[in-house]
Amino acid sequence: MPHGSGQGAGRPGLMAVAERAAVSPMTVTRVLRDDPRVLPGTRERVLAAVAELAYLSDPEPPAAAGADPAARSGAADRGTGLVGVVVTDVTDPFASRLASGVDAAVRRHGLRILIGDSRRDRERERGLVADLAGRADGIVVMPAGPRQEHLSAVAARGVPVVCAGGPPAGFEADHVVIDDYGGAKEATERLLALGHRRIGFLGPRPDVWSGAERLRGHRTALRSAGLPLSDELVRREGAGAAERAAAELLALPEPPSALFCCGERYTVGAFRAVRAVGARTVLAGFDDFELADTLGLPLTVQICDSGELGRQAGRLLLDRMGGAPGRRQPPRRRVVSTRAVRYGEGHSRGPLAPAPAGADGAAGDGAEGRHGAGTAGKGQRRNAAPGRTR
């Protein structure tokens, strides 16, 4: 299909997306191919334009090698040739890279993606999924709420569904998740190894699965160290309230000496609060972000490749789409591991030492692979995908 100003009757093309995002057509192509050289801000604008215009990515010929034959033939020969991707916020770097990862996986099989933005609203997600069910051969959903029973109706119509970023509740399906529990446990263990005993927690509301898992990992590390679990040191609100929540913790009669932050926007909010009061509070976060190495204070972040999350979800979906109609396979779970990167003045540039092992031996939580570690000093950027903000 040519890269023209349109992709068929009434269908916006690559040029329209480029104009909407104020970038070149080549930049749009690079974003859709998950090119790591594209700046996060540019990627966000392009993915937002893609969602607004319902742009369909151009398919590539099926890979001659390295692709599963059953998935290739089943996906390419079926119906619309489209795969739906519903994310919680298309401007979120985590969500945009997840969508790009799905696109990278299915494009090799001659398929295109159609992106929907649920804006973290369960009813909006329900409507998007219902709409996509009539237009796509399979759907990847980044869950917007605590339960996903509405996805069962779509699956009953023969449209495969895979969840990414959180497991489905009230509905059984293949899913891919980040090792939120293990990553948070490791990050908290590092703070404990530095001597911190009052550690604040900043995270999303209780019904956000990833936040609940990160709080569970955080508390496991505290419990293993013999420390009490204090609700006084926990704040669970939207990321937009992170600065205020951090300021509340810093204003306590006995403020925490360190803060664990559940996402990049929580880390940035905490940094602003720390800077405003001139505190020497140490920060640990989940998800990397631009300029993390310029904050000028000790900061360790657990990073994950959300593009890999999308690629694995895309592969699971392709397998379901290419399977024999009568084949029944139990739901599968994939876990993408995290690794630690440390920023800030005074840190050595050697490898970051593994966190002390917890007394509970959390290896049984299903994480695949080992946590790696690295160090990034001031002015040294990392070659890693931005993480999740929810």
Side-chain angles (χ1 to χ4, degrees), residues 239-315:
E243 182 176 356
R244 175 181 56 76
E248 291 176 358
L249 291 174
L250 297 176
L252 291 172
E254 187 181 353
S257 61
L259 296 174
F260 173 70
C261 310
C262 260
E264 62 186 82
R265 288 191 284 183
Y266 290 94
T267 305
V268 171
F271 166 72
R272 288 173 174 159
V274 168
R275 183 180 61 179
V277 300
R280 297 178 60 85
T281 310
V282 173
L283 300 182
F286 216 112
D287 306 332
D288 208 358
F289 57 95
E290 281 298 318
L291 304 181
D293 56 336
T294 68
L295 298 184
L297 81 167
L299 168 65
T300 302
V301 292
Q302 294 293 131
I303 65 174
C304 54
D305 184 353
S306 53
E308 177 61 18
L309 188 78
R311 287 187 288 274
Q312 291 202 27
R315 294 182 196 121

Side-chain angles (χ1 to χ4, degrees), residues 309-323:
L309 188 78
R311 287 187 288 274
Q312 291 202 27
R315 294 182 196 121
L316 287 174
L317 187 68
L318 285 168
D319 186 60
R320 292 290 183 184
M321 291 166 59

Side-chain angles (χ1 to χ4, degrees), residues 1-20 25 28 49 53-56 58:
M1 186 174 296
H3 282 172
S5 59
Q7 288 182 302
R11 184 178 296 171
L14 185 141
M15 288 297 295
V17 173
E19 292 173 4
R20 176 67 63 90
V28 176
L53 297 175
Y55 172 73
L56 305 179
D58 283 336

Side-chain angles (χ1 to χ4, degrees), residues 82-124:
L82 300 176
V83 166
V85 182
V86 178
V87 298
T88 54
D89 181 354
V90 75
T91 66
D92 182 342
F94 177 87
S96 65
R97 282 189 175 270
L98 187 155
S100 292
V102 175
D103 183 63
V106 305
R107 192 176 351 104
R108 299 177 68 246
H109 301 275
L111 302 173
R112 298 170 292 171
I113 66 170
L114 188 58
I115 303 175
D117 187 347
S118 71
R119 302 175 188 171
R120 298 186 174 89
D121 181 87
R122 185 172 180 271
E123 291 307 310
R124 183 177 172 85

Side-chain angles (χ1 to χ4, degrees), residues 78-261:
R78 181 177 179 178
T80 66
L82 300 176
V83 166
V85 182
V86 178
V87 298
T88 54
D89 181 354
V90 75
T91 66
D92 182 342
F94 177 87
S96 65
R97 282 189 175 270
L98 187 155
S100 292
V102 175
D103 183 63
V106 305
R107 192 176 351 104
R108 299 177 68 246
H109 301 275
L111 302 173
R112 298 170 292 171
I113 66 170
L114 188 58
I115 303 175
D117 187 347
S118 71
R119 302 175 188 171
R120 298 186 174 89
D121 181 87
R122 185 172 180 271
E123 291 307 310
R124 183 177 172 85
E125 175 189 275
R126 183 198 301 271
L128 285 168
V129 169
D131 181 51
L132 288 169
R135 306 169 64 187
D137 298 330
I139 305 174
V140 173
V141 179
M142 187 177 176
R147 300 190 65 80
Q148 290 76 45
E149 295 95 334
H150 55 284
L151 299 181
S152 60
V154 175
R157 293 169 55 183
V159 180
V161 176
V162 172
C163 290
F171 167 68
E172 290 190 344
D174 294 341
H175 57 279
V176 187
V177 297
I178 297 296
D179 184 17
D180 295 291
Y181 171 87
K185 180 175 176 290
E186 179 180 342
T188 304
E189 286 171 345
R190 292 187 187 282
L191 293 175
L192 292 168
L194 292 173
H196 297 283
R197 290 299 177 266
R198 280 183 66 79
I199 303 173
F201 177 93
L202 296 175
R205 61 186 188 272
D207 64 349
V208 176
W209 183 85
S210 61
E213 284 295 285
R214 292 175 187 183
L215 179 59
R216 187 169 71 89
H218 171 72
R219 283 180 162 168
T220 295
L222 296 178
R223 190 181 297 110
S224 297
L227 296 176
L229 305 181
S230 172
D231 289 338
E232 178 187 43
L233 295 177
V234 174
R235 295 293 185 276
R236 307 181 74 177
E237 303 183 49
E243 182 176 356
R244 175 181 56 76
E248 291 176 358
L249 291 174
L250 297 176
L252 291 172
E254 187 181 353
S257 61
L259 296 174
F260 173 70
C261 310

